[in-house]
Amino acid sequence: MTVNDLLHQFVVEARDCLESISQRLLALEKAPHDQELLNDLFRSVHTLKGNCGLFEFPSLERVVHAGEDLLDQVRHGRMTYHAEMGDVLLEAMDFTADMVDLIERTGGVTSESQIPSERLATRLRAFLQANTKASQQAEVHQAEALPPATPPSWLASIPPDWCTEFPQSVAWRYEPEPECFFKGEDPWRLAGLAPGLKAITVRPLTPWPDLSELDCYRCNIEILGISDAPLAYLTEHFRYVPEQIAFHELHTGVAATTPSISEVNQPELSLPEVIRQRALQIWDEQRHILTQSDLAPGTAASIRHVFLQLLRATQAPQLAAAEASLQALGDSAGSEALHSWSALHHPAGGPEQAKSSTPSTAVLQFAADAAKTAPAPSSEENAHSRVLKVAQDKIDRLMDLIGEMVVAKNALPYLAQRAETVFVQRELAREIKAQYAVINRIAEDMQHAIMQVRMMPVGTVFQRFGRLVRDISKREGKEVQLLIEGEDTEADKNIIEALADPLIHIIRNSLDHGIETPDKRQQAGKPATGTIRVTARQESDRVIIEIHDDGAGIDARKVRHKAVERGLVHADKAEALSDSEAMQLIFLPGFSTAETVSDLSGRGVGMDVVRTAVERVNGDVQLHSQLGLGTTIRLSLPLSMAVTNVMIIDAGGCRFGVPMDLIVETVRVHQEDIHHFKQARTTVLRGRIVPLRALHELLELPGEASVNEEGEHAVLVVRMGAENMGLLVDHFHGATDIILKPLEGVLTGMTAFSGTALMGDGSVLMILNPKELMS
Amino acid sequence: MTIRYLKKYAALEDVVTVEEAESLWEWMCQQAHPAVNLSKCQHLHTAVLQVLLAARPKFVGEIGDSVLAMALGQAHADSAGHESMTKKGVTL
């Protein structure tokens, strides 16, 4: 694995962590005392910090570290979580997300990020300091009774002027072990790089001997230093030499020692007791291994060795007897023999020793707990290993390949046709068709399977809403409650991604224009807290997403007025529109009803962007609103857009494809049934007037729409929003599955076509975009 | 080699590694009045630093690394009677 791969992995994992962190932070606002949640949150931040530590991203690590320290205090109940803390934490998280993006783009962080990083870290640490001050004040009375903490003796060797010069800093003493040079350590370098180093001095531990007697490879120095970095950074910096380093905070006069892991977990236990517990735990783990079948002889032998060492470490009362019996078992002892021996000579007390040498109940409990919990994580790990993390581009590649496969497969029917007509091989043609049927089935299954892989729950987009609603409602002074339903509904990854921005826009609109301020709401007889409800569900092969708010609703009169004012529709036409039709005007480009431009919405790039984005993925938007009661926006999207079903038509000698989901019907209309009115042509189908346009005219193709022997036109009726429209073409051909490739390069601007597709016979089919073509 | 043993002094340059501590010590033992030049020294290993502290050589020129200058200045200030060419109590 190269560094680049590692970095990539880091980015992926960091994003995962950030996502869960943001969710937990928001959940925490509602339940600030949920211990489970706090632990989860801390774990996520801790993982993130650990990952950052793998790389040299100081500005990133600093912020995450500060966040971790803060959460650790909250987790242990030494501080209470409050909204301000949440604000800063969320801000820090945003910063981290930006950094991760930057790392992904450039592979590193720039020095520019240093300043915001330090500022954020300081703000986070401010909470910690405020807390220590508060607790110090609380303890003032107690402290008066107690003698002040005695400074460590080594402090005397630090020049006193340093202490006066840097009163707010941390003094430290680093005494490297004599053999450290042989371990590849360079204590001077470690000390010299200490964060926030202000002053440093080196002294011999024992007076220097005569130069000729000096052993230059035996370390005989101590390093004393003053740093103004927080104690946590120093502890982190010297984390590999915890027993050789001592800290003293000058301003508090508190000697700070690096807490060992055992102290954190079991603060009330003495060291021998900790060792004893650990030994018991290891003992039980070994016993657990012994119960497994198919144990290799080597494993049994090494377990026997472990037991022997444990016996000595715990200084079990019957040490000699137990050891002797273990020795008697010999190296070749089987796992069963060992298991029964270990039960008999358990250090916590065997079956009969339990009464005589009553160990403390806590220890027994601990051992039992250890035995119970030990297998649990392993099974959890197994569950995790079954989930495979795959980069998106790999799935996309698979998708492209299956697309090509579908196209290649479609060449077989042409081949069969050629075999029959050109080479007059009917037998062969039939065989090719039979093979085609098999390949077709497999390809379809494959396509379906890959499609399943690309399916993502829509909830991944919804997750961002919580944050959005929280931030905006706070800033706007509105009270808003967000309800999300059906976040498990799945749709294709591309659709979900295309949806993210329009949805955020809609929610912003609801927050900005929809939901009123609490007092306005109460005047209108509504609860002060507004509700935005986002629901997702699947309806046949489409995903329906509805965003409903119980806000002010849309005033059709205002919309009409605004649309006319902006010159988007003619005044007469605006008056003729029904209320619900008038509301659809907000989807026109350049429409905005907001009186002032806010940074949320109201720039006039709102709803038309939403509509364009949704239509780009073959979806559509509907809007319903009732004045005073609220607005509902309904998005309907296809489940997948990888393979498009098109109908092939013929006009002016060219072939075109029309997306099947837009086609209502194909009909033959007699020339005489077409009514001409000036330039416009219409016909009546099933009692409804359908406007007709000829594809030849729209695309400026040569000739006129042809008629067959019976004098009938071929009319393709397509859906245009709520209306139907007829398209005059020359001939209809069959339907086919194609992989739609968007137009690239100079062709991008041609909105009349939604893309191209490669046909089985190698030709290129242009796919029409009837909505753009006929509007 | 990042130590050049000249006629009047030893010049320690760039990063002086742990392997060179012994040769420096041997050289120091042979000199009646050892002197070193640390002006181009970016970092020296703790073992080398130890040799300098024990041998208390004379310093020729400024000490390039400010952290090192501070430590050596302090150490020499402690040992009275030995003249140090570095500024005392340098702060970063």
Side-chain angles (χ1 to χ4, degrees):
Chain A
M1 193 178 249
T2 65
V3 174
N4 254 343
D5 288 344
L6 262 179
L7 202 63
H8 183 73
Q9 192 85 16
F10 164 75
V11 169
V12 171
E13 279 177 19
R15 292 223 171 102
D16 276 1
C17 282
L18 283 171
E19 202 163 283
S20 65
I21 290 169
S22 95
Q23 263 176 297
R24 303 249 152 73
L25 276 176
L26 290 175
L28 207 57
E29 299 235 301
K30 294 190 188 98
H33 299 290
D34 190 333
Q35 197 61 35
E36 189 107 331
L37 209 56
L38 275 167
N39 284 336
D40 275 357
L41 180 61
F42 177 78
R43 226 169 289 141
S44 297
V45 177
H46 185 72
T47 313
L48 185 60
K49 194 204 75 174
N51 287 350
C52 295
L54 282 176
F55 302 94
E56 288 283 314
F57 300 141
S59 45
L60 186 60
E61 201 182 343
R62 193 175 303 131
V63 173
V64 181
H65 195 140
E68 187 198 9
D69 284 352
L70 182 60
L71 284 170
D72 194 37
Q73 294 294 316
V74 176
R75 184 172 71 128
H76 285 115
R78 288 181 212 128
M79 288 173 80
T80 42
Y81 184 86
H82 49 85
E84 273 167 56
M85 208 186 272
D87 285 340
V88 184
L89 281 169
L90 282 170
E91 212 172 296
M93 210 198 71
D94 286 343
F95 172 79
T96 316
D98 287 348
M99 286 289 102
V100 171
D101 288 346
L102 188 73
I103 288 165
E104 192 187 25
R105 278 202 308 275
T106 63
V109 290
T110 52
S111 51
E112 287 158 31
S113 58
Q114 191 112 7
I115 295 157
S117 140
E118 260 167 26
R119 205 172 296 150
L120 271 171
T122 320
R123 280 173 66 191
L124 286 170
R125 298 234 176 260
F127 289 111
L128 283 172
Q129 274 157 14
N131 189 53
T132 35
K133 267 180 207 149
S135 60
Q136 271 167 13
Q137 279 164 3
E139 282 163 16
V140 151
H141 298 289
Q142 291 176 326
E144 274 167 3
L146 292 166
T150 44
S153 55
W154 54 266
L155 205 61
S157 19
I158 282 188
D161 51 323
W162 288 6
C163 300
T164 48
E165 201 171 336
F166 310 110
Q168 289 298 311
S169 36
V170 181
W172 47 265
R173 173 178 180 272
Y174 176 23
E175 184 195 322
E177 53 183 356
E179 305 301 322
C180 69
F181 297 156
F182 297 101
K183 295 181 180 175
E185 287 176 13
D186 185 354
W188 174 243
R189 163 156 285 198
L190 186 67
L193 293 176
L197 187 66
K198 286 291 175 198
I200 192 165
T201 185
V202 194
R203 288 148 39 90
L205 270 180
T206 52
W208 295 115
D210 198 42
L211 189 59
S212 56
E213 277 166 25
L214 177 79
D215 178 358
C216 63
Y217 287 131
R218 193 178 165 78
C219 190
N220 181 33
I221 56 170
E222 59 171 345
I223 306 170
L224 298 164
I226 299 266
S227 286
D228 70 348
L231 183 63
Y233 289 0
L234 287 166
T235 324
E236 178 76 13
H237 182 76
F238 290 106
R239 63 190 179 280
Y240 297 119
V241 288
E243 63 286 347
Q244 298 160 23
I245 188 93
F247 299 109
H248 180 85
E249 286 187 275
L250 293 176
H251 59 289
T252 55
V254 176
T257 50
T258 34
S260 68
I261 295 159
S262 53
E263 277 173 356
V264 172
N265 293 340
Q266 307 279 323
E268 69 281 2
L269 293 176
S270 61
L271 192 63
E273 191 59 14
V274 170
I275 292 174
R276 193 178 140 76
Q277 285 197 1
R278 184 75 191 121
L280 286 179
Q281 205 182 343
I282 297 170
W283 189 282
D284 284 328
E285 277 164 12
Q286 300 301 320
R287 277 174 54 89
H288 182 70
I289 296 170
L290 280 173
T291 56
Q292 289 169 359
S293 52
D294 311 332
L295 217 58
T299 315
S302 61
I303 290 176
R304 180 176 157 274
H305 186 71
V306 171
F307 278 141
L308 204 61
Q309 298 295 332
L310 283 175
L311 269 184
R312 287 172 190 159
T314 51
Q315 289 161 359
Q318 300 86 7
L319 175 66
E323 209 177 320
S325 61
L326 186 61
Q327 298 283 12
L329 280 173
D331 265 348
S332 54
S335 56
E336 280 162 36
L338 267 174
H339 192 256
S340 50
W341 176 88
S342 63
L344 205 64
H345 298 279
H346 200 290
E352 72 280 342
Q353 291 150 354
K355 289 161 214 144
S356 53
S357 65
T358 46
S360 71
T361 45
V363 172
L364 265 181
Q365 187 59 42
F366 188 83
D369 283 352
K372 259 186 275 167
T373 52
S378 67
S379 66
E380 207 170 285
E381 261 172 37
N382 285 344
H384 276 298
S385 65
R386 267 181 244 126
V387 177
L388 201 62
K389 272 189 187 170
V390 184
Q392 278 187 4
D393 54 343
K394 286 186 183 159
I395 302 285
D396 289 348
R397 168 107 181 102
L398 263 183
M399 200 67 203
D400 284 351
L401 284 175
I402 185 69
E404 281 172 37
M405 177 91 171
V406 168
V407 171
K409 156 207 97 173
N410 284 344
L412 286 175
Y414 288 98
L415 188 64
Q417 211 182 349
R418 264 167 63 85
E420 196 169 336
T421 55
V422 181
F423 302 102
V424 206
Q425 295 278 347
R426 297 199 62 175
E427 194 65 21
L428 182 63
R430 199 177 303 134
E431 273 179 37
I432 295 176
K433 276 182 188 159
Q435 282 301 317
Y436 168 72
V438 174
I439 296 175
N440 189 36
R441 181 174 54 82
I442 298 174
E444 272 175 12
D445 281 358
M446 229 162 108
Q447 194 185 326
H448 187 73
I450 296 173
M451 218 82 101
Q452 283 302 311
V453 174
R454 284 167 55 100
M455 288 293 207
M456 265 167 51
V458 287
T460 47
V461 181
F462 292 179
Q463 278 164 13
R464 312 184 197 175
F465 297 168
R467 177 78 191 282
L468 187 77
V469 169
R470 174 191 182 276
D471 286 0
I472 296 179
S473 56
K474 248 191 179 177
R475 201 163 45 192
E476 298 272 300
K478 293 175 179 177
E479 287 170 27
V480 185
Q481 173 192 19
L482 178 73
L483 295 177
I484 291 177
E485 287 168 20
E487 61 259 64
D488 295 333
T489 316
E490 287 190 328
D492 189 84
K493 173 182 83 75
N494 284 0
I495 307 249
I496 301 271
E497 278 168 5
L499 215 63
D501 285 342
L503 277 178
I504 283 183
H505 218 103
I506 294 171
I507 300 256
R508 280 185 164 178
N509 266 329
S510 290
L511 283 166
D512 200 27
H513 307 302
I515 305 283
E516 315 92 325
T517 48
D519 45 323
K520 261 195 192 167
R521 287 183 64 88
Q522 270 164 346
Q523 278 169 23
K526 292 197 269 193
T529 308
T531 307
I532 293 181
R533 186 190 299 270
V534 182
T535 52
R537 64 176 184 279
Q538 193 177 336
E539 270 180 19
S540 70
D541 62 343
R542 294 185 88 77
V543 179
I544 310 292
I545 297 178
E546 276 182 357
I547 300 101
H548 173 80
D549 68 65
D550 65 347
I554 296 173
D555 189 343
R557 271 182 315 125
K558 265 192 185 171
V559 173
R560 276 200 198 95
H561 181 71
K562 204 83 182 177
V564 173
E565 187 187 291
R566 303 223 162 196
L568 298 171
V569 281
H570 200 269
D572 298 345
K573 199 182 171 192
E575 286 309 311
L577 292 172
S578 71
D579 278 2
S580 74
E581 280 169 340
M583 283 173 201
Q584 312 302 323
L585 292 174
I586 69 165
F587 287 113
L588 291 174
F591 184 92
S592 174
T593 50
E595 300 303 325
T596 54
V597 170
S598 75
D599 72 322
L600 299 180
S601 43
R603 278 182 229 267
V605 289
M607 295 307 281
D608 68 306
V609 172
V610 171
R611 190 168 67 169
T612 328
V614 172
E615 282 179 356
R616 202 175 299 138
V617 293
N618 294 327
D620 64 348
V621 194
Q622 283 166 18
L623 179 134
H624 303 281
S625 183
Q626 260 185 300
L627 193 58
L629 290 179
T631 309
T632 305
I633 290 174
R634 190 181 134 109
L635 308 180
S636 161
L637 302 142
L639 278 181
S640 159
M641 52 185 263
V643 173
T644 319
N645 196 232
V646 295
M647 175 150 200
I648 301 174
I649 52 152
D650 204 324
C654 298
R655 285 189 163 200
F656 299 101
V658 181
M660 206 59 139
D661 51 352
L662 290 176
I663 299 175
V664 181
E665 59 178 335
T666 57
V667 285
R668 296 238 170 225
V669 180
H670 203 274
Q671 276 175 301
E672 289 167 12
D673 292 335
I674 295 179
H675 312 286
H676 292 259
F677 180 75
K678 288 186 182 167
Q679 297 292 314
R681 277 180 284 184
T682 55
T683 188
V684 178
L685 280 176
R686 296 180 227 294
R688 289 188 65 175
I689 298 173
V690 178
L692 295 178
R693 303 289 298 272
L695 194 58
H696 298 74
E697 289 167 25
L698 292 168
L699 294 177
E700 295 185 3
L701 296 168
E704 286 275 316
S706 65
V707 287
N708 64 2
E709 305 91 61
E710 285 137 44
E712 288 169 333
H713 277 291
V715 178
L716 189 70
V717 184
V718 293
R719 193 172 31 228
M720 297 282 293
E723 288 173 53
N724 289 345
M725 247 182 143
L727 200 59
L728 293 180
V729 299
D730 285 350
H731 302 288
F732 300 125
H733 297 278
T736 186
D737 282 343
I738 52 117
I739 307 287
L740 189 65
K741 302 272 181 203
L743 293 174
E744 285 171 4
V746 287
L747 298 177
T748 324
M750 297 182 66
T751 50
F753 296 100
S754 52
T756 62
L758 196 63
M759 300 303 290
D761 59 356
S763 62
V764 174
L765 185 74
M766 301 293 286
I767 311 299
L768 295 174
N769 182 356
K771 280 187 183 172
E772 285 291 326
L773 197 62
M774 294 199 267
S775 59
Chain B
M1 290 297 276
T2 47
I3 303 183
R4 288 188 294 135
Y5 297 102
L6 305 173
K7 211 176 262 176
K8 288 185 178 168
Y9 58 85
L12 277 64
E13 288 164 8
D14 295 340
V15 177
V16 186
T17 60
V18 65
E19 287 85 8
E20 292 173 87
E22 195 163 11
S23 67
L24 180 67
W25 169 68
E26 279 167 5
W27 181 82
M28 291 273 189
C29 290
Q30 292 158 10
Q31 305 293 314
H33 301 288
V36 291
N37 186 337
L38 293 174
S39 58
K40 286 185 190 160
C41 177
Q42 286 160 12
H43 174 74
L44 44 79
H45 191 273
T46 322
V48 183
L49 175 72
Q50 195 168 265
V51 173
L52 290 184
L53 288 170
R56 286 185 295 213
K58 203 177 151 192
F59 294 111
V60 180
E62 286 282 304
I63 297 178
D65 182 10
S66 52
V67 178
L68 189 63
M70 194 195 315
L72 288 172
Q74 279 288 343
H76 280 254
D78 286 353
S79 54
H82 201 96
E83 196 191 331
S84 147
M85 294 184 71
T86 56
K87 284 174 272 174
K88 278 183 201 170
V90 186
T91 51
L92 292 178

